C-alpha cells in the first residue's frame, strides 16, 4: 500500500457532524457588524433560569418606529451554550404582527421546528421542519406554507455529508408548487475547514455564493456581559448617496 | 479626442492602406484597448464582466485576509 499515512495524514480522524446547511456561511457572516439606524432601547429582564422577556423601542429613520415585546422560554436540555431544548420564542410588535418559533429535540438526533409569522391579523408564514443529525451527516426537510386546500407548498430538502475531517459536501433542493405551476432548483454546497480558515461555496441555478473566513489571532480577554451596553454604528454608501447612523442602549 | 476615437477602429493594422499608420497603431491600439477595457469593467449588464470582477474582488479579499494578519496592533506577540 506504500506510505498511506504520508499520502492521507488525516484518514484516521473522526469526521464529525457537519452542522446545519443554514450555518455554512455563519462564521463569515458573524464578522460583519450589524447595520444600525435610528435609536434603539432594549431592556431585557430575566425572570428565571428558563424565562426571559425583552422590550425594544426603536425610533427609526428609514422605516416605521415601534415597540416590540419578546418572550423566550428555554427548557432543561442543553446541548451547547446556544442550543437549549425545548425553546419557545414569541415576538409581537405594536401593530399586532406576531413572530413565533418552537424548537424541540425528539430523541438524540432528531430536531423539529415550527415557525409562524403574521402581519397584523393575517398569517403570512407557517413553516415546519425536521432535522436529523447523524455521526457524519445532516439531513433536513422543511415544509413552507403548506396549503392543502389551495394546493400550494414549498418543500426544501438539505443534505450535508462530512467526506473527510475537513471537507463537507452537500446540496439543497427547493421545490415549489402552486395551482398551474411548479418548479425545482438544485444548489450544491461544499465547505473546507482548515485549522485557521474556512471556505464555503454554494453553486446553483440562481447563482453562486462563496465565503472565506480567516482567523488572524486568538480572541483573548473577552468582556464579561455588562448590565448596560451602548452600541454605535454607521453605514455609508458613497456611490448611492446613502448614509445612516444609529445607536442602541441595551439594559439587562 | 473624439476624432481620434472615431479614426481608431477604422485605421488598425489589419486595414489596407494603413502603412504609415502602422507605426502609430500601437498607441492608438493601446488607447482603444484601454477604453474598451474600461467599458467592459464598468458594464454591469455583462455576465462575464460581473463574474470576473466579483471573482477578482473575492480573491483580493482572501489575499488580504491571509497575508495582513499583522495589522492587529493589540494582538499578543508571538512566542519566539
Amino acid at each position: 500500500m506504500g506510505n498511506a499515512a504520508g499520502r492521507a495524514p488525516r484518514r484516521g480522524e473522526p469526521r464529525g457532524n457537519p452542522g446545519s446547511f443554514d450555518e455554512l456561511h455563519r462564521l463569515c457572516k458573524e464578522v460583519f457588524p450589524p447595520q444600525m439606524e435610528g435609536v434603539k432601547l432594549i431592556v431585557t429582564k430575566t425572570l428565571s433560569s428558563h424565562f426571559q422577556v425583552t422590550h425594544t423601542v426603536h425610533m427609526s429613520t428609514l422605516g416605521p418606529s415601534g415597540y416590540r415585546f419578546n418572550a423566550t422560554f428555554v427548557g432543561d436540555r442543553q446541548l451547547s451554550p446556544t442550543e437549549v431544548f425545548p425553546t419557545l420564542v414569541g415576538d409581537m410588535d405594536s401593530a399586532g404582527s406576531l413572530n413565533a418559533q418552537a424548537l424541540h429535540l425528539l430523541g438524540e438526533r432528531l430536531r423539529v421546528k415550527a415557525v409562524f409569522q403574521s402581519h397584523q391579523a393575517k398569517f403570512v408564514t407557517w413553516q415546519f421542519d425536521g432535522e436529523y443529525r447523524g455521526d457524519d451527516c445532516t439531513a433536513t426537510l422543511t415544509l413552507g406554507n403548506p396549503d392543502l386546500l389551495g394546493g400550494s407548498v414549498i418543500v426544501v430538502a438539505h443534505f450535508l455529508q462530512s467526506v473527510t475531517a475537513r471537507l463537507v459536501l452537500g446540496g439543497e433542493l427547493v421545490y415549489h408548487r402552486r395551482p398551474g405551476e411548479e418548479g425545482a432548483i438544485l444548489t450544491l454546497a461544499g465547505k473546507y475547514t482548515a485549522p485557521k480558515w474556512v471556505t464555503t461555496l454554494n453553486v446553483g441555478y440562481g447563482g453562486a455564493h462563496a465565503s472565506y473566513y480567516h482567523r488572524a489571532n486568538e480572541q483573548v480577554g473577552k468582556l464579561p456581559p455588562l448590565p448596560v451596553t451602548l452600541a454605535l454604528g454607521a453605514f455609508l454608501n458613497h456611490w448611492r448617496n446613502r448614509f445612516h447612523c444609529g445607536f442602541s442602549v441595551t439594559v439587562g | 479626442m473624439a476624432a481620434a476615437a472615431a479614426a481608431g477602429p477604422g485605421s488598425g493594422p489589419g486595414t489596407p492602406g494603413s502603412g504609415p499608420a502602422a507605426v502609430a497603431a500601437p498607441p492608438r491600439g493601446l488607447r482603444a484597448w484601454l477604453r474598451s477595457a474600461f467599458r467592459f469593467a464598468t458594464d454591469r449588464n455583462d455576465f462575464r464582466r460581473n463574474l470576473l470582477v466579483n471573482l477578482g474582488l473575492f480573491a483580493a479579499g482572501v489575499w488580504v485576509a491571509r497575508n495582513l494578519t499583522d495589522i492587529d496592533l493589540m494582538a499578543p506577540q508571538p512566542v519566539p
Side-chain angles (χ1 to χ4, degrees), chain A residues 78-100:
Chain A
Q78 180 155 17
L79 296 186
S80 73
T82 52
E83 291 178 317
V84 189
F85 296 101
T87 296
L88 304 173
V89 179
D91 192 290
M92 184 167 273
D93 70 5
S94 48
S97 300
L98 170 73
N99 185 335

Side-chain angles (χ1 to χ4, degrees), chain A residues 136-192:
Chain A
D136 57 4
C137 66
T138 300
T140 309
L141 185 68
T142 302
L143 290 177
N145 291 23
D147 186 355
L148 291 174
L149 297 177
S152 69
V153 71
I154 300 173
V155 179
V156 182
H158 294 140
F159 185 76
L160 286 178
Q161 172 73 50
S162 291
V163 176
T164 69
R166 294 193 181 180
L167 180 65
V168 172
L169 296 176
E172 171 187 64
L173 181 66
V174 179
Y175 170 78
H176 68 270
R177 183 191 173 90
R178 267 204 316 242
E181 68 147 321
E182 64 178 348
I185 300 171
L186 175 70
T187 303
L188 300 177
K191 176 174 158 183
Y192 187 84

